[in-house]
Amino acid sequence: ISILAHSNKQLWLTVFVPNSTRSGRYAGQIRVDAGGMRLGVLGVQVVVPDFDLAASKIAYSIYYRAVLDPQRASISSEYRDESQMRAELEDMVHHSIDDPTLYQPVTNEVLFRLALRLRQESGANRGPLYFLGLLTTEPLTALRNNIPRVREMAHEYGYTGLSVYGRDEARGKELEAERGVWA
């Protein structure tokens, strides 16, 4: 990587150990150079145990807002093309976030199904789908029409259930208004 002169940059180093790696202690170095000069060497050690960890019983999620929209794809938190979303999902799964929320609107079934397929291929779907594309503030008739449809599509891609989103940080009357839908 390159860092501009007279600046600092925090780095996060992730070491991925292939499943076929034998147990033991491994050592390496990170060399820091600038202008053709060695500024320092950082030692790195990784211990690979002789056992595998059990799969977590906890679902690890993240509030993932990106939606597939190739026309507006960017590096903001909002819009992605297929390659961007695939890379982000794979990165999340590599960091044990295997249940990120899905914000993809169901109004475009082709993109909705593509978003589900990308999650399936990345290994991101283990349990229920945490879906932000329907809100419990929507009319009950709309939810009654859309929830079974979304649940069925999610099931096709390996999800075991569906959780829809309530109003963010609702209080008082806003929160009370959702009780009927929850029931």
Side-chain angles (χ1 to χ4, degrees):
I1 63 164
S2 297
I3 301 173
L4 295 174
H6 309 293
S7 66
N8 296 314
K9 185 168 187 165
Q10 183 176 353
L11 303 174
W12 184 321
L13 177 67
T14 302
V15 177
F16 292 105
V17 179
N19 289 337
S20 60
T21 304
R22 297 175 102 167
S23 62
R25 182 178 304 270
Y26 294 83
Q29 296 179 334
I30 299 172
R31 295 181 304 273
V32 181
D33 298 334
M37 289 180 39
R38 173 83 15 102
L39 299 179
V41 176
L42 303 169
V44 177
Q45 288 191 24
V46 175
V47 175
V48 178
D50 61 354
F51 60 88
D52 292 330
L53 294 174
S56 177
K57 294 180 181 180
I58 299 172
Y60 290 95
S61 186
I62 193 168
Y63 191 85
Y64 182 59
R65 296 172 36 99
V67 298
L68 287 169
D69 188 335
Q71 309 307 319
R72 297 192 287 179
S74 67
I75 57 169
S76 72
S77 66
E78 305 296 324
Y79 305 106
R80 300 288 181 272
D81 63 25
E82 183 177 344
S83 65
Q84 288 174 308
M85 185 172 279
R86 179 187 319 277
E88 288 179 346
L89 290 168
E90 288 173 358
D91 188 57
M92 284 185 256
V93 170
H94 281 281
H95 289 89
S96 298
I97 300 170
D98 40 25
D99 288 307
T101 59
L102 176 63
Y103 206 51
Q104 189 71 39
V106 72
T107 51
N108 183 328
E109 189 172 323
V110 171
L111 289 178
F112 184 78
R113 286 181 176 279
L114 177 57
L116 289 172
R117 183 173 56 82
L118 291 173
R119 288 161 174 271
Q120 184 182 49
E121 290 171 356
S122 72
N125 59 333
R126 295 184 357 163
L129 175 63
Y130 301 126
F131 187 49
L132 306 177
L134 296 173
L135 298 173
T136 57
T137 56
E138 294 179 32
L140 190 55
T141 54
L143 290 171
R144 282 189 175 138
N145 290 331
N146 285 317
I147 286 176
R149 184 170 154 235
V150 172
R151 185 183 296 132
E152 182 179 317
M153 285 188 280
H155 183 72
E156 289 174 32
Y157 290 87
Y159 285 96
T160 60
L162 175 67
S163 294
V164 297
Y165 195 59
R167 181 167 181 138
D168 194 22
E169 300 180 21
R171 294 189 179 118
K173 294 195 183 298
E174 289 179 332
L175 182 59
E176 291 173 14
E178 293 183 81
R179 285 183 180 165
V181 173
W182 296 340

